[in-house]
Amino acid sequence: MDLEGMKVLIELLAPVGSQDALVAAVESGANAIYLAGRMFGARAYADNFDEAGLRDAIRFAHMRNVLINVTVNTMVDDQEFKELAQYLRFLYEAGADAILVQDLGVVKLAREIIPNMPLHASTQMTVHNLEGVRVLQDLGFTRVVLAREVSMEDIRYICANSEIEIEVFIHGALCVCYSGQCLMSSIIGGRSGNRGRCAQPCRLPYTLVDSEGNDVLENADAGNYLLSPRDMNTLDLLPELIEAGVTSLKIEGRMKRPEYVATVVDTYRRGIDSYLLSKADFTIAENDQKNLAQIFNRDFTSAYLKGKPGRFMMSDRRPNNRGVLLGRVLSYKAATQEVIIKLNEELHINDIVDFWVKVGGRVNATIRSMLVNGVSVLQAAPNDEVTIVIPSAVRDHDRVFKVFDAQMMERARAFFNTGAPVRRIMADIKVSSEIGKPFVVEIKDQDGYIGVGKTDFIAEQARKRPLTEEGIRKQIERLGTTVFSLENLTCEITGDVMVPISEINEARRRAVEMIERARLEKFTRLPLEIVEAAPLKKQVKMSRQSRMTKPELLVSVDTLAKAKNALEHGADWILFGGESYNHEVISVKQYRQAYDMVRSYHKKISFNTPRILKQWQVKSFNKLLQAFQEFIPDEICVHNLSQIRMVKAKVDTKIHADFSMNVYNNLSIEFLKELGVSGVTLSPECNFAQVESIVRRSVLPTECIVHGNLELMVSEYCAMGSFLGDLDKGTCTQPCTKAQYWFKDRKNEKFPLVTDQFCRMHVLNGKELSMYPHVHKFGQIGVNRIRIEAKYFDVKRIAVVTNLYKEFLALGEDHPLIADDKIKTIENDQITRGHYFRGVL
């Protein structure tokens, strides 16, 4: 088998957040790396690279046949596009091999100004079915990073039925929410994951409580980190992933230290090569899994590749690195602070250990000295009883974990801190010298590239010490920090020749310089034709009076009773269906009944679609669309690119792009219009100034959500099913249908949990978005429609809220509750204005 050829087909993609991590990734065997500049990357808190650093990184990688993909995968504000255009041109000219994108506005801009730059769809685009992949393929993308929730079966199906490259995550941290669909960090702390600044609220403790506030897991075998997933590990599944047809195997970890990058990349490199060399002999060494656990783990999972693991996907007892179980405490002497540990693993000086104390959390200690049988030792073996001094009390039988292995870290550092290449390119060198001619060095590397260096000096007759092969080899072998290593040397010396050593070195330097240029040549692009991006639509200059409009009022519901109450109290539009917050299937018959009801009120209806449409749902979704042909709604509300195409193919009606498509700028709106979309809901992360700016330029009607408990997360993971419903045993007992549950955080804020008919969990904001006193402003700036998210409301609450908004729309600032400053009489301390007056980072 051609191992080198297969490596090209199966790419190992490594994360890089610093210069050391770059060297670690390349030297430990990555075929490609992904990194970010100082702007527009989804890991804004990594060190990342300035422009000079990016150029150097690209050159360093390309010299070694390693590709560089740059993340430009955040949402972008209209005011940032000028700077983004300059950045994209820089990336093209600097030689980046591809850019990863999330924002459709960035896609539009990139296609206009750098049309030859390969585009990769970031996992932030939430692509999770074949139709979504095909849409991106037709839009000119060269690669799609699938959502981490896609199963092995679906990966295999997608790869077999598409022509685009498929990239999947194989190792590292998991998001509990579908990537690109999380508002939790944003709503809680103003730090938007969609803008690259996630504060990781999923790693905080939560209590699962019932309607009485009782901790329903108090007596269960469960921790408090109920939203914190384990780390992904697919080392054992490499054969299946390779055979499935995946192009790129991606490691997560741009925030991780370079030792982590080196260890994980090296381990997977050897695993991939082992399988490609001999499928029958593929094995994973126990030490490889141990090293992966030692370098960083929250315990491991294969996520959804092989089904829903329930509670066994969660690191509910610890949200950070747990290390490797080292042993247990045999005894502790408080007077001397000495502890005796019975070891399961080796222990060395400078290792760091954590004691998981039954009462009081954990105790951390760095091993500076230790005794075995009373004798001071530098290392201890499994089954030894070792004595160390620790800073705080522990108890007998407490577990001890090694969270830092000093020797392993030193081995990992050898990949990047020696100053010399680890993976060298073998080269044959031919030297020729003859009196009266220049001294010539010709280098031919293992890939067939050639470099030739000649001296300006003309070789002379030697008077004392003529050149010898031994003397030439001594100089030629000095390839130093270059990437090349001498394999074979051929010397052709005619006569007793004299050439100064400095001239030999100069010829060698020139040959190396030439072969380096030759190796980089294949990565060069044609000069960028300067194409100015199409300007944003100009803001329409008109007086506030002429801009003013009366927005229509839409109410989003999931039952017929809720729709009826909304209509009776003034709704102009009903958004019906999609996910049910009652865990009940919404049938074709119910859609038809909702349609007839709305028509009887002479109002308009939009049919909602599922926010997530996995491959197993596609067939029934198409049947639903087919049924809609008999009672065509005024519009269909979609949540991702796949649904746009599927709706267009089945139903001749308007298509509305919902907030889950992260519409944050006008270029996104223009792009969606080109795809056939007729209206958009703006991202809830826009502030009022952004909304006004977007609306003034928008080429499509706009909608804003003004009221309700916003969805903060949508997840394949269900806390109720996992910890109360025995989901891990294969069949969930569906506790979510028997009671209502909330997550309660450290500040006693409660987040409602609902499950839909597809058994996905939705985490809602406990605070109710309310824009009662500001409704008139939406009309003043020209918003076409405002929306009440009412699925979580009961019918009485819907009646009250809908009626109030209808009144505020009719009376504006003249409404008595506003004019008399009595808004507080209809609001409580559990309301929020969302991002309208603060925005996001």
Side-chain angles (χ1 to χ4, degrees), residues 36 45 83 85 92 222 246 254 268 276 290 341 376 431 443 491 568 590 621 639 821 827 831:
Y45 298 114
E83 186 177 20
Y92 179 91
V246 172
R254 279 190 288 143
Y268 276 91
L276 296 181
K290 190 176 293 184
I341 307 167
S376 179
V431 172
I443 303 176
C491 292
E568 287 178 347
Q590 288 171 308
F621 180 69
H639 297 265
D821 195 21
E827 294 184 331
I831 64 98

Side-chain angles (χ1 to χ4, degrees), residues 75 102 124 177-195 198-199 201 611 659-660 662 664 682-686 705 709-714 751 763-765 835 838 840:
M75 297 191 313
Q102 170 194 13
Q124 290 289 115
C177 174
Y178 273 86
S179 294
Q181 301 301 310
C182 186
L183 293 176
M184 199 155 189
S185 174
S186 163
I187 292 294
I188 291 176
R191 287 170 53 176
S192 169
N194 287 315
R195 297 273 285 166
C198 179
R611 191 167 176 181
F659 72 93
S660 45
N662 293 320
Y664 197 71
L682 299 184
S683 166
E685 296 190 284
C686 292
I705 299 173
N709 299 82
L710 290 179
E711 281 193 15
L712 304 186
M713 288 186 178
V714 55
F751 301 89
V763 181
L764 309 184
N765 193 9
H835 285 299
R838 61 171 182 164
V840 295

Side-chain angles (χ1 to χ4, degrees), residues 569-800:
H569 290 85
D572 301 303
W573 282 80
I574 294 297
L575 175 58
F576 182 80
E579 284 100 352
S580 162
Y581 278 9
N582 302 309
H583 199 80
E584 297 176 356
V585 174
I586 303 174
S587 66
V588 171
K589 180 180 178 180
Q590 288 171 308
Y591 277 101
R592 180 63 193 247
Q593 290 174 324
Y595 174 87
D596 291 339
M597 180 192 301
V598 173
R599 289 289 182 255
S600 72
Y601 280 84
H602 305 291
K603 300 298 183 180
K604 299 175 185 176
I605 187 165
S606 176
F607 285 161
N608 209 347
T609 57
R611 191 167 176 181
I612 302 299
L613 193 69
K614 296 288 285 294
Q615 203 62 50
W616 64 268
Q617 298 171 254
V618 169
K619 185 176 180 180
S620 60
F621 180 69
N622 276 321
K623 286 184 177 180
L624 185 63
L625 294 178
Q626 188 75 28
F628 290 168
Q629 293 179 8
E630 302 299 319
F631 46 100
I632 297 176
D634 296 286
E635 69 175 22
I636 294 178
C637 185
V638 301
H639 297 265
N640 51 65
L641 292 173
S642 67
Q643 292 175 342
I644 295 176
R645 175 173 292 190
M646 296 167 78
V647 170
K648 286 175 68 176
K650 296 286 186 180
V651 190
D652 185 14
T653 190
K654 292 181 178 180
I655 298 174
H656 184 92
D658 209 353
F659 72 93
S660 45
M661 295 195 71
N662 293 320
V663 178
Y664 197 71
N665 55 64
N666 277 101
L667 284 186
S668 292
I669 296 175
E670 292 177 22
F671 188 88
L672 287 167
K673 184 179 181 182
E674 293 171 6
L675 294 180
V677 169
S678 303
V680 298
T681 302
L682 299 184
S683 166
E685 296 190 284
C686 292
N687 62 32
F688 237 123
Q690 289 172 306
V691 171
E692 182 172 10
S693 175
I694 291 171
V695 169
R696 287 184 180 184
R697 294 187 177 100
S698 180
V699 296
L700 293 177
T702 55
E703 173 185 280
C704 290
I705 299 173
V706 297
H707 206 98
N709 299 82
L710 290 179
E711 281 193 15
L712 304 186
M713 288 186 178
V714 55
S715 180
E716 289 290 329
Y717 158 72
C718 173
M720 293 79 73
S722 294
F723 290 95
L724 298 173
D726 296 325
L727 177 61
D728 56 282
K729 296 179 181 178
T731 302
C732 181
T733 61
Q734 298 190 346
C736 61
T737 63
K738 303 175 182 69
Q740 177 70 54
Y741 298 96
W742 289 257
F743 279 141
K744 185 173 73 173
D745 71 6
R746 300 169 302 167
K747 299 180 180 180
N748 291 319
E749 294 287 344
K750 292 170 67 178
F751 301 89
L753 304 178
V754 295
T755 56
D756 61 32
Q757 65 270 46
F758 310 110
C759 288
R760 296 190 184 101
M761 181 179 71
H762 302 253
V763 181
L764 309 184
N765 193 9
K767 291 189 181 297
E768 193 174 301
L769 174 65
S770 173
M771 293 299 288
Y772 284 142
H774 306 286
V775 175
H776 59 280
K777 295 178 183 177
F778 291 93
Q780 289 173 351
I781 64 177
V783 172
N784 303 95
R785 196 165 72 187
I786 60 173
R787 171 167 159 187
I788 299 170
E789 277 293 328
K791 287 184 179 181
Y792 187 62
F793 294 165
D794 60 29
V795 291
K796 291 182 179 179
R797 182 70 177 146
I798 287 174
V800 171

Side-chain angles (χ1 to χ4, degrees), residues 23 27 59-60 63-64 417-425 476-485 508-509 512 516:
V23 178
E27 295 289 14
R59 188 182 191 283
F60 176 85
M63 184 62 64
R64 294 155 175 81
N417 71 353
T418 63
V422 175
R423 290 176 175 260
R424 290 184 179 269
I425 299 168
I476 295 300
E477 282 182 334
R478 292 182 177 179
L479 292 166
T481 57
T482 74
V483 74
F484 304 102
S485 180
R508 184 198 67 228
R509 187 194 67 77
V512 168
E516 287 180 343

